[in-house]
Amino acid sequence: MTPNKENFIKAIYELGGDDKIISNKELAQALSISAASVTEMNTRLLKEDLISHVPYRGVKLTPSGKCIANRLIRKHRIWEVFLAEKLGYDWNEVHADADLLEHASSDRLIERLNDFLDKPTFDPHGGVIPNKDGSLPETSKFPLTDIAIGEHFKVKEVDDDKDFLNYLRQKGIQLNHSYTLVAVDPFESSLTLRSADNSEKIIGQKAALKILVDYESPA
Amino acid sequence: MTPNKENFIKAIYELGGDDKIISNKELAQALSISAASVTEMNTRLLKEDLISHVPYRGVKLTPSGKCIANRLIRKHRIWEVFLAEKLGYDWNEVHADADLLEHASSDRLIERLNDFLDKPTFDPHGGVIPNKDGSLPETSKFPLTDIAIGEHFKVKEVDDDKDFLNYLRQKGIQLNHSYTLVAVDPFESSLTLRSADNSEKIIGQKAALKILVDYESPA
DNA sequence: TAGAATAAAAAGGATGGACTTAAAATGACA
DNA sequence: TGTCATTTTAAGTCCATCCTTTTTATTCTA
């Protein structure tokens, strides 16, 4: 596993390749290389069973590919915590150095660093730190009604009720999308959410109880 | 400057290439590569003016080569201090991880780490940490008579007197060699030194005053 | 001081990673 | 169903790293 391969895996992950197929073109643009180079790297990673491939559609990470991506992100984020918390880096400075260090860190080093930092849960950007084994920590899910005004969250689970799902679709609320709670009506208890595209959605209190969410970093 | 080149430079340095010529064969053995590969790397580093070359004798570091070696060693040793002091590494564990990290450390990172560690002077093995600019810290020199029993030191300077130099040669005391002070005679004040090859040398007190030494790590 | 032993340089490859361009194959969609 | 965007394949460049073998030079020693 070379730094290059690691970065390739990471790029797939960051484009969403843990659950959807990422096209050749997207990757080529993200990495600033030609599409042909992407194909070439794909064949290498395919051999190692780190990605799965749908011809002419693109690639996504296999379970072991996801594991590697998460372990790399774990290293990256633990370093970020160290740089920010112990070395006084500004939050916008941490990324570059963490990007170098993540490829030069033994497991032992990362675990000791993790202990030294008191096992942080989030990096300075609010990103969650994956587990040692490459899995993602159990993320708590709780009703949208428990969110405080101004907080950012992601929709994790919704009640499997046809009418309710239609209601959500009509409102434009989608699973795994992120929103910010901007207001709660004092009388009706209806919630005003702002989505990533800055549109505002008003949700009734009854619906809010059935939407499970989790905190998320603002980025 | 690739990690490979850096390690090559470091190997030369560690074999003593800062002041004497290191043969092709020595380097080949130290790096476990063929002598021809050493020659090849030599030509590359020669182009960059990092080493100087005496045909059929070997190579030594140029001033800029030494600078690079020292800066690398600075990185290495600062990391070692961090691993040992903050992460609880045992002194024999630090080397491997420091060897990886030294190649993935920006100058900014090293300087902040250095501050975080309160600007240490020695690494866990007792090795001195070079300055930021790649120079070696002014090492103090003082008479051998100031050394306490049991301490390790290196001979830094000796009086330029013919008889005295002959005396030293006869005793087997050499500049830049390391010794341990094992005993001081209570009556004569003569000093018993042990050299690296475990031979013992007895030095008169008058001579000891004219031998300037500095502390050194036991390794 | 003339070999013999040894070391270095030169020559010629081999490999693998990371890129590219150009042409052929494919899929999507109007 | 034909056009167009995208993907794949093919072919090849460049560079770093390593190798072995064959001179060539030096050094050691008898």
Side-chain angles (χ1 to χ4, degrees), chain B residues 2 4-5 32-34 36-37 40-41 44 56-57:
Chain B
T2 69
N4 232 311
K5 282 185 192 174
S32 299
I33 57 177
S34 70
S37 297
E40 203 176 335
M41 180 65 92
R44 253 176 274 150
Y56 293 94
R57 301 303 306 278

Side-chain angles (χ1 to χ4, degrees), chain A residues 23-25 36 39 53 55-56:
Chain A
S23 77
N24 223 316
K25 194 190 178 190
T39 300
H53 181 240
Y56 292 94

